[in-house]
Amino acid sequence: MNGKTAFVLLSGVLSGSLCACVQPPEAAAPAAPAPPPVAAAAPAPAAAPVAEPPPSNRWVSIQAATCERLLELSPDDRAAASLFYIGYQAARFRSITINVGAIPDAEEWASSYCAEHPGQPAVEAFRQAYRQTFR
């Protein structure tokens, strides 16, 4: 019974604290008077391109993704993939800590390896980068 009570109390406290974080919207300021009409209206600015949402349910083989494909990614996607592969290698090496300051060195090492060996799996590039940088 005590476990259930603690759970109910804890969930109530957490939900109460989450609700306390939400700020009520501020009252709307009085509207400014409308500007006088202009003889010639300025052309409307061109609409900004709409970013396409990432594809859902896209499966990528961790072991089979090649260095060539990694290098083709946008800089943001390459950085995300690099962090994934570094974490993947940390788990494979059963590391319990990681030197965050060495992550850029590992990314650079893996990128250099991939540039020299585009047909190799990206996981191999990060395995070697992890061994060189973090061990």
Side-chain angles (χ1 to χ4, degrees), residues 21-73:
C21 294
V22 177
Q23 300 285 331
E26 293 183 22
V38 179
V50 177
E52 293 183 28
S56 60
N57 294 327
R58 181 171 173 229
W59 295 88
V60 177
S61 173
I62 294 169
Q63 297 285 328
T66 64
C67 280
E68 179 179 25
R69 181 66 186 117
L70 179 74
L71 295 175
E72 290 173 351
L73 296 174

Side-chain angles (χ1 to χ4, degrees), residues 9-23:
L9 289 174
L10 181 60
S11 62
V13 168
L14 289 176
S15 66
S17 65
L18 291 176
C19 292
C21 294
V22 177
Q23 300 285 331

Side-chain angles (χ1 to χ4, degrees), residues 1-133:
M1 184 69 174
N2 288 340
K4 289 181 182 179
T5 304
F7 175 75
V8 170
L9 289 174
L10 181 60
S11 62
V13 168
L14 289 176
S15 66
S17 65
L18 291 176
C19 292
C21 294
V22 177
Q23 300 285 331
E26 293 183 22
V38 179
V50 177
E52 293 183 28
S56 60
N57 294 327
R58 181 171 173 229
W59 295 88
V60 177
S61 173
I62 294 169
Q63 297 285 328
T66 64
C67 280
E68 179 179 25
R69 181 66 186 117
L70 179 74
L71 295 175
E72 290 173 351
L73 296 174
S74 70
D76 287 343
D77 289 344
R78 192 176 322 123
S82 295
L83 286 178
F84 168 80
Y85 276 111
I86 289 169
Y88 178 78
Q89 294 303 330
R92 291 194 66 208
F93 282 106
R94 299 181 188 263
S95 300
I96 57 173
T97 61
I98 191 167
N99 179 0
V100 176
I103 290 174
D105 295 335
E107 290 176 329
E108 181 62 35
W109 204 99
S111 292
S112 296
Y113 178 90
C114 282
E116 295 172 9
H117 306 93
Q120 291 295 313
V123 72
E124 176 63 18
F126 284 96
R127 182 184 73 78
Q128 290 189 25
Y130 191 89
R131 290 180 69 203
Q132 294 292 322
T133 310

